[in-house]
Every structure is written in C-alpha cells, then in structure tokens.
Amino acid sequence: MEHITINKQEILKLYKPILAQAHKGTQGHTLIIGGSYGKIGSIILASKACLRSGCGLVTAFAPKCGYNSIQTSFPEAMVVTDKAEEYISKIEFDIVPNAIAIGMGMGQHEATQKAFGEFLKNNDKPLLIDADGINILSKNKELFDLVPEQAILTPHKKELQRLIGDWNSEEEKIEKITELAKSKKWIIVIKGAPTQIISGNTIYTNSTGNQALATAGSGDTLSGIIVGLLAQGYKPEEAAILGVYIHGLTADIGSKSLGYHAFIASDSIENLGKAFLSLDENL
C-alpha cells in the first residue's frame, strides 16, 4: 500500500478555482437524500455544506415532515418530499443531478430499506453513501453488488464496524477495509482522528482537523462538502481528498476563535469560505 499525507501541497495539485464565467448551471446540481422524523437537521447541514462548497444547485429529498424545516432554515435549497410523513418510503424525483448523497438521518424503517435498494438498482449518478445508508448496506449485504464502482462511503467507527465486522488491531482494520474497497472499487473515508481515505492501493491520511470536529452533525457537513465537489466535476477520489482536507481546515480556522468546546457543525459550514480562500491565496 502507498501512504500519502493530505497536505496543502497535495491539495493545490487538485484544487480548481471557480471560473469568472461560471453560473449556477455550470457549478453542478446535487441531490441529497435523507432525513426522518427528528433527524431533519442532518440533511439541512449536508445541504448547506454542499452549497457552501461551490455547488450551484442543491435539492433535498426528505419525508414530508422535513419540508417546512428545510425551506425555512435554508431557503437556497430546493425540496422534494416523499409521500410518507415521517420516513422515506419511495425515492422518486424528476431532476437530473450531477451527483447524489444518501443516508444522513434517513433511519432504517423497513420501507426505507426497500426504497434504498430500489434506488441503488436505478441510480447511474456519482454516489456518496453515509450514515444510515451504510447501516442498511451492513444489514443487507446482498445490496453490495448494486453499489457502483467509485462510490464514496463515509463511515464513522461504529458504522465501519457494522460494515466490515470487528477487528483486533489497527493493521487488521486497514486490511479489512482495503480488501472491501479494492474488491468493490469503492472509496472509503474512515472518519476519525486523523481521517483516512482508502482508494485502490493508496491510503491517504489527512493533516487538517482537530477535536473541535467531535460534535453532532460533523459527518453530515463532511458528506455535503464531498458530494458538492463531486457534482462540480471532481473525480470521486479527488472529491474525497479535497473534501476531507477542507472540512478539517474549517475546524483549524474556527477553533482559533471558538475553542474546541463551543465549536459545532454549523461553525464548520460558516468557516468554509475562509478555508477555500486560504487555497485561493496560494494560486
């Protein structure tokens, strides 16, 4: 395995500033599918992070109970709702997104699991799977073959454990993840301190971020950033690498004034502008 540290030098090789002639139609359209009763905040955070990352358009797909919350707290997002009130029961939409993220706050209702499987059968867009999307995969491993190559999975420790089983050492964990990633040709983002990405024969270790990110909703913002970059035309591996770096950088910047205790996921979104500007200044 090749080991690469994700630092500013590596990021500047990938980073593409937004062109002066750009408009919302050239900046990509992301569909973010998720949310359930009591967990609508997750899709709001992901949608905000997505748009703050330079994506031109974002549509949130959520149960009916999420409509008012999303439209009120995030007017820049478009919203499509499921027929069910409190959970996702059937994923239907008439837009043509450039990339899709699914799973955050989605829950694991029986109807949701079925809807997720049907979605995988019909999807042909670049895909990021997070949270309950990963949990549903872990419960229904027959769905593995429906997940496309180059899909990005973003598990935290518990979700990873459900996905690959227990491990007795860091080496065994990496071996199991690598075996899965290579066999399915997925890109697996292992959220943690530090966050690592396994893609093919390479392990990327992020150099940004700190304990301020140990807060609710942090993973939702990361997924929003990554899928927003994916929709803008970055290759999946590039989107994962740049997204992880930028997400960590928001905590490095924001914690200087807020400290580690008071920093929340919304602060990560608020500091995205400064994070991207720090890259623009080096071009």
Side-chain angles (χ1 to χ4, degrees), residues 41-256:
S42 57
I43 196 171
I44 293 172
L45 289 168
S47 299
K48 282 186 176 181
C50 176
L51 216 55
R52 286 271 192 186
S53 298
C55 190
L57 297 160
V58 63
T59 295
F61 184 100
K64 281 186 179 179
C65 65
Y67 180 80
N68 288 335
S69 296
I70 300 168
Q71 292 277 259
T72 303
S73 64
F74 189 37
E76 294 90 348
M78 295 176 283
V79 184
V80 176
T81 63
D82 195 278
K83 293 178 180 178
E85 182 70 27
E86 297 188 352
Y87 54 84
I88 288 173
S89 64
K90 193 169 186 179
I91 301 169
E92 294 179 321
F93 51 88
D94 57 8
I95 64 169
V96 183
N98 298 99
I100 300 175
I102 186 168
M104 51 285 294
M106 191 167 68
Q108 299 174 55
H109 190 282
E110 187 177 340
T112 305
Q113 294 191 46
K114 184 177 179 181
F116 179 68
E118 288 300 314
F119 162 79
L120 290 177
K121 287 178 186 176
N122 297 312
N123 175 59
D124 61 357
K125 301 297 180 184
L127 182 65
L128 180 148
I129 303 176
D130 187 23
D132 283 317
I134 295 171
N135 291 330
I136 293 172
L137 277 179
S138 300
K139 282 184 172 182
N140 304 273
K141 289 191 166 61
E142 70 276 8
L143 296 178
F144 277 21
D145 290 339
L146 298 178
V147 177
E149 293 181 1
Q150 294 298 291
I152 302 169
L153 277 67
T154 58
H156 59 51
K157 183 178 178 180
K158 284 294 183 183
E159 291 160 354
L160 182 62
Q161 199 170 23
R162 297 180 191 118
L163 190 67
I164 66 171
D166 293 329
W167 56 83
N168 296 312
S169 65
E170 188 68 16
E171 291 75 17
E172 185 183 3
K173 181 183 81 170
I174 295 298
E175 283 177 11
K176 285 190 167 190
I177 301 167
T178 302
E179 183 181 349
L180 178 61
K182 289 176 74 172
S183 67
K184 297 300 181 184
K185 297 183 180 178
W186 297 342
I187 295 161
I188 301 180
V189 178
I190 313 160
K191 294 184 286 196
T195 291
Q196 293 181 303
I197 300 166
I198 294 184
S199 176
N201 290 311
T202 307
I203 299 176
Y204 298 92
T205 301
N206 191 35
S207 64
T208 60
N210 55 56
Q211 56 266 51
L213 292 172
T215 185
S218 188
D220 301 319
T221 62
L222 173 61
S223 292
I225 295 166
I226 294 173
V227 76
L229 296 168
L230 198 58
Q232 289 173 66
Y234 285 92
K235 295 176 182 177
E237 185 179 277
E238 294 173 340
I241 292 168
L242 179 55
V244 163
Y245 180 88
I246 286 288
H247 182 247
L249 193 55
T250 63
D252 291 341
I253 294 168
S255 62
K256 289 178 181 177

Side-chain angles (χ1 to χ4, degrees), residues 24-39:
K24 66 182 180 182
T26 63
Q27 286 302 110
H29 187 171
T30 298
L31 175 64
I32 298 182
I33 303 168
S36 56
Y37 184 80
K39 295 181 180 177

